[in-house]
């Protein structure tokens, strides 16, 4: 008889503690995945079940450093769940700062009608924004075909396929229309900068690193914004916490105004450009 779920999760949390800051949570999410149920259901109703055979293998993968979201194939972001896998940047809670800033910006108005997401990855920012404004339409652009496959599948799963289009592109190079809301989480890590455990080994470098100072992609994206923002519209772009001044200077050079918003850890996380 296999050991109960409760004991198997306790053992997994111990094994994962040296490799993960969230060992207990990881163990729970892997168990929920192994059982094919939600974490809530697991904790409320399944703790005394027999642990499924495949759980140990999932824990071993996590122990070897594979990101949790690649093992389970999903990551929650804002109000939605996104399918992810190797080759796409895993959505980070930090990026929810951009959606919050957008919600603040459009508070008291009917909201944006047209939304552009530059470097959409698995559709993260675009689909979260479309969930917020059910009448809005959106365009997601990415240089990666793998990312776009995930983005389209996620739009389908979320019932948003009719409100989205996704296309391969080099930032806004082929975009000839204006948008009420432009979102972007470009790569911004400097080549020699430290990233979290497992990130450099497993996540796509092209979604993370942007030249010697991490600013390469802002130098391409920011100058395009004056031609992309509709009257009354806004662009909200994620930044590294030490990049506020440099990116603000690029915005000023493009004759636009900006302010910085902070994440839950009180660090600069995004720039709001009008
Ligand atoms: N915040 C991410 C990390 O350090 C970087 C994301 C990005 O470059 N856009 O893992």
């Amino acid at each position: 008889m296999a050991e109960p779920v409760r004991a198997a999760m306790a053992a997994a949390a111990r094994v994962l503690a040296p490799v993960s800051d969230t060992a207990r949570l990881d163990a729970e999410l892997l168990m929920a995945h192994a059982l094919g149920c939600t974490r809530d259901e697991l904790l409320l109703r399944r703790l005394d079940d027999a642990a499924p055979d495949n759980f140990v293998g999932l824990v071993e993968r996590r122990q070897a450093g594979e990101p949790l979201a690649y093992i389970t194939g999903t990551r929650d972001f804002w109000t939605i769940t996104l399918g992810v896998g190797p080759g796409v940047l895993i959505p980070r809670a930090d990026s929810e700062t951009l959606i919050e800033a957008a919600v603040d910006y459009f508070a008291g108005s009917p909201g944006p009608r047209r939304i552009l997401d530059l470097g959409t990855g698995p559709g993260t920012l675009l689909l979260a924004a479309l969930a917020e404004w059910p009448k809005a339409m959106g365009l997601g652009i990415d240089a990666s075909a793998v990312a776009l496959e995930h983005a389209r599948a996620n739009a389908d799963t979320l019932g948003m396929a009719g409100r989205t289009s996704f296309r391969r592109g080099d930032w806004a190079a082929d975009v000839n229309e204006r948008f009420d809301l432009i979102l972007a989480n470009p790569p911004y890590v400097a080549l020699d900068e430290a990233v979290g455990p497992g990130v450099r080994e497993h996540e796509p470098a092209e979604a993370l690193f942007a030249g010697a100072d991490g600013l390469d992609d802002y130098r391409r994206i920011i100058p395009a914004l004056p031609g992309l923002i509709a009257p009354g519209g806004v662009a909200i772009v994620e930044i590294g916490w030490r990049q506020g001044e440099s990116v603000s200077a690029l915005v000023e050079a493009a004759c636009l105004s900006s302010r910085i918003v902070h994440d839950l850890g009180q660090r600069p996380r995004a720039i709001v450009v009008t």
Side-chain angles (χ1 to χ4, degrees):
M1 165 79 195
E3 67 178 336
V5 160
R6 189 192 300 275
M9 288 203 301
R14 274 193 302 276
V15 164
L16 294 177
V19 298
S20 172
D21 294 339
T22 54
R24 172 75 204 180
L25 176 64
D26 291 9
E28 290 174 5
L29 292 171
L30 291 173
M31 183 62 85
H33 179 66
L35 289 167
C37 70
T38 64
R39 179 169 167 243
D40 285 349
E41 189 190 334
L42 161 69
L43 297 176
L44 289 172
R45 277 189 288 277
R46 308 289 293 269
L47 292 175
D48 297 316
D49 287 12
D53 293 339
N54 61 344
F55 179 64
V56 171
L58 300 176
V59 173
E60 282 170 2
R61 284 170 64 186
R62 183 73 190 105
Q63 203 182 350
E66 196 172 337
L68 185 91
Y70 287 167
I71 303 172
T72 63
T74 62
R75 169 58 56 92
D76 289 343
F77 180 79
W78 195 247
T79 60
I80 59 177
T81 299
L82 293 158
V84 297
V88 293
L89 187 77
I90 298 167
R92 272 105 166 120
D94 287 339
S95 304
E96 293 177 351
T97 308
L98 279 72
I99 303 294
E100 271 188 285
V103 168
D104 278 354
Y105 182 85
F106 288 101
S109 86
R113 279 166 309 143
R114 295 276 302 149
I115 303 173
L116 172 66
D117 183 7
L118 294 172
T120 192
T124 308
L125 293 168
L126 180 61
L127 298 173
L130 290 177
E132 211 50 51
W133 293 288
K135 288 185 182 148
M137 308 278 289
L139 170 63
I141 295 194
D142 207 283
S144 154
V146 176
L148 291 171
E149 261 174 53
H150 279 94
R152 289 193 183 102
N154 285 326
D156 249 344
T157 307
L158 292 164
M160 296 177 186
R163 295 198 284 139
T164 52
S165 52
F166 290 99
R167 72 168 114 104
R168 208 156 170 191
D170 178 19
W171 300 123
D174 300 316
V175 181
N176 298 309
E177 40 175 332
R178 291 179 183 270
F179 296 83
D180 307 304
L181 171 61
I182 297 156
L183 296 162
N185 175 18
Y188 56 70
V189 181
L191 285 176
D192 60 357
E193 206 175 314
V195 286
V199 173
R200 203 177 276 269
E201 295 80 357
H202 292 274
E203 294 193 65
E206 64 274 21
L208 291 163
F209 300 104
D213 59 4
L215 297 172
D216 279 10
D217 292 287
Y218 299 118
R219 295 193 180 97
R220 312 236 1 253
I221 294 167
I222 304 286
L225 293 179
L228 293 171
I229 305 177
V234 65
I236 305 176
V237 181
E238 184 161 329
I239 58 169
W241 64 280
R242 285 173 299 200
Q243 294 172 327
E245 281 183 28
S246 329
V247 181
S248 300
L250 291 170
V251 170
E252 207 169 306
C255 300
L256 296 167
S257 329
S258 67
R259 70 188 167 79
I260 302 283
V261 289
H262 294 73
D263 60 24
L264 294 176
Q266 306 310 325
R267 284 176 161 191
R269 180 56 58 190
I271 187 159
V272 178
V273 181
T274 46

